[in-house]
Amino acid sequence: MEFPILLTVIIALALIFDYINGFHDAANSIATIVSTKVLTPFQAVLWAALWNFAAFFLAAYVIGEFRIGNTIAKTVNENFITLEVIFSGLMAAIAWNLLTWWFGIPSSSSHTLIGGFLGAALMHAFMMDYNDVVSAHPDLGIFETLKQAFHQLTTQNVVKFDKVIPIFLFIFMAPIIGMVISIIITLIIVHIYKRSNPYKADKSFKRLQLVSSALFSVGHGLNDAQKVMGIIGAALIYYHVEMLHDPVYLNIPSAGRFDYFAQHYLWVPLVSFLAIGLGTMSGGWKIIKTMGTKITKVTPLEGVSAETAGAITLFITDQLSIPVSTTHTITGSIIGVGLTKRVSAVRWGITVSLLWAWVLTIPISAIVAGVTYLLVTFLS
């Protein structure tokens, strides 16, 4: 099947974003295992990349569905999804990801992508409303036209809040859950090993860190690769429904189209998981330094606790079909192990900076995507 040029560009851009996501978020999977010197940075990225890709087989053949991809595809009302909207959202997400990577800020690739998708869709809906108002009331002034168009926008269900509200809540819930679980795991481990030989215990935890980092990398792959798959899925579903008027897709209820897409375009999740694994192999050394050493000093014991807590959190959110930030999750887990020593063990100045980056990611990505959509429609 030959795709339109814009759809082909969207698929390529989505996979580029996935690759960027991999090296941007490499620190999430390997920061603690590198900072504790269990593996060298090169060994660590290979280890994480392997388990990123292995997550595909877990999702496709054990879980049997791609829940998070389904959620992403349905964050926007399908009546306001176009190829131009998806293209603009991707461009904004890529720009913000590269900017934060360059400055070593561990922002969320997930929320960048969601913010871009929402911002472009809202601008698309607003422009439709603006044109409707101009057609109906050509004599209105510019400010009154904008006012009426904005009012009309607020009456439409462009954003699916039943999908988006949990995503917003878990900006804060995911790191809190990770933090609480890591505190519990750390206290349990300290209690069990309190009479052990420190050297032997440290050696055991270094081995266990290989397992905990692998688990977190599986969670990272499950969570993040599916987001790109969801965006590609939204584009391909739009193509079949709105451009081809494919009777197969038209006869499937809207809620079931993504599952059908995932079954018949299995190469999409396959290459999505592969791209994020390749990206992880490229690494993101500036962010690794922030995550692994600047928030709090991490020992092998604490590395096991943080990674295991992060993995558990990601598996929980996958079951709930809520896309979360792996960056937020592992940061909360690392803070948790720091708090078990003392509150001052956490460098709160760095943590506050991270919080600002998290809060601003979605609105900034949405604004950039909206402006990008205007440029795309103007140029086309």
Side-chain angles (χ1 to χ4, degrees):
M1 181 184 293
E2 188 173 337
F3 293 142
I5 292 173
L6 185 56
L7 178 55
T8 304
V9 169
I10 285 170
I11 293 171
L13 280 176
L15 294 175
I16 290 169
F17 175 85
D18 205 14
Y19 175 83
I20 293 170
N21 188 1
F23 76 70
H24 188 278
D25 287 4
N28 299 342
S29 303
I30 71 171
T32 56
I33 204 169
V34 170
S35 66
T36 56
K37 296 181 172 59
V38 173
L39 295 176
T40 66
F42 180 70
Q43 291 171 331
V45 292
L46 288 178
W47 183 250
L50 170 67
W51 294 104
N52 276 170
F53 181 64
F56 164 76
F57 300 98
L58 177 63
Y61 302 110
V62 179
I63 298 172
E65 59 181 323
F66 298 93
R67 299 188 185 104
I68 288 175
N70 198 350
T71 298
I72 292 292
K74 293 174 181 173
T75 52
V76 171
N77 186 322
E78 62 183 9
N79 296 322
F80 300 97
I81 294 176
T82 67
L83 295 184
E84 291 79 10
V85 163
I86 297 170
F87 173 79
S88 302
L90 275 171
M91 289 299 292
I94 289 171
W96 180 247
N97 245 16
L98 288 174
L99 185 68
T100 53
W101 166 77
W102 180 257
F103 288 103
I105 302 168
S107 66
S108 168
S109 299
S110 310
H111 295 131
T112 301
L113 189 61
I114 293 164
F117 194 24
L118 295 177
L122 285 167
M123 184 58 76
H124 169 63
F126 178 76
M127 292 307 297
M128 289 173 62
D129 294 335
Y130 181 84
N131 291 331
D132 288 345
V133 173
V134 169
S135 298
H137 307 284
D139 298 329
L140 282 179
I142 181 69
F143 292 110
E144 187 61 31
T145 302
L146 290 169
K147 180 181 175 182
Q148 288 200 22
F150 183 76
H151 174 73
Q152 194 167 311
L153 177 67
T154 60
T155 64
Q156 297 167 315
N157 296 318
V158 179
V159 176
K160 289 191 173 180
F161 288 103
D162 61 320
K163 302 290 185 184
V164 172
I165 288 174
I167 294 172
F168 273 87
L169 289 176
F170 269 76
I171 290 176
F172 306 102
M173 289 297 296
I176 291 171
I177 293 169
M179 181 180 70
V180 170
I181 294 174
S182 70
I183 290 172
I184 293 169
I185 291 173
T186 303
L187 293 176
I188 290 171
I189 290 174
V190 168
H191 178 73
I192 292 171
Y193 282 85
K194 63 184 177 183
R195 290 188 177 87
S196 300
N197 179 288
Y199 174 77
K200 288 184 178 179
D202 195 60
K203 197 171 180 180
S204 298
F205 289 122
K206 284 186 175 182
R207 292 197 189 106
L208 283 172
Q209 245 197 301
L210 291 171
V211 178
S212 62
S213 65
L215 287 172
F216 187 81
S217 294
V218 169
H220 178 220
L222 270 179
N223 188 71
D224 282 34
Q226 287 194 56
K227 293 162 188 171
V228 167
M229 174 195 169
I231 292 295
I232 296 175
L236 284 168
I237 290 168
Y238 172 84
Y239 170 64
H240 278 277
V241 173
E242 300 296 336
M243 299 179 74
L244 292 182
H245 304 290
D246 187 339
V248 175
Y249 277 81
L250 290 170
N251 290 328
I252 297 172
S254 178
R257 286 173 183 162
F258 186 86
D259 290 334
Y260 182 83
F261 146 78
Q263 291 170 9
H264 290 82
Y265 282 97
L266 193 61
W267 63 266
V268 173
L270 179 65
V271 296
S272 296
F273 281 84
L274 180 61
I276 201 168
L278 292 173
T280 299
M281 284 175 64
S282 303
W285 312 119
K286 291 184 180 183
I287 298 174
I288 288 168
K289 187 177 178 183
T290 300
M291 299 294 290
T293 60
K294 286 188 179 179
I295 294 174
T296 186
K297 188 177 178 182
V298 179
T299 65
L301 180 157
E302 293 157 351
V304 169
S305 299
E307 289 161 351
T308 304
I312 292 170
T313 305
L314 291 176
F315 293 143
I316 290 170
T317 55
D318 181 73
Q319 286 296 311
L320 296 173
S321 305
I322 300 172
V324 298
S325 167
T326 51
T327 307
H328 298 187
T329 303
I330 196 64
T331 302
S333 300
I334 292 171
I335 289 171
V337 298
L339 288 173
T340 59
K341 292 181 282 189
R342 59 188 185 281
V343 174
S344 61
V346 178
R347 294 181 178 130
W348 295 104
I350 296 292
T351 305
V352 170
S353 298
L354 297 182
L355 285 171
W356 274 112
W358 297 353
V359 171
L360 293 173
T361 291
I362 288 181
I364 289 176
S365 300
I367 291 167
V368 173
V371 173
T372 304
Y373 176 81
L374 286 177
L375 291 173
V376 168
T377 52
F378 176 75
L379 293 173
S380 62

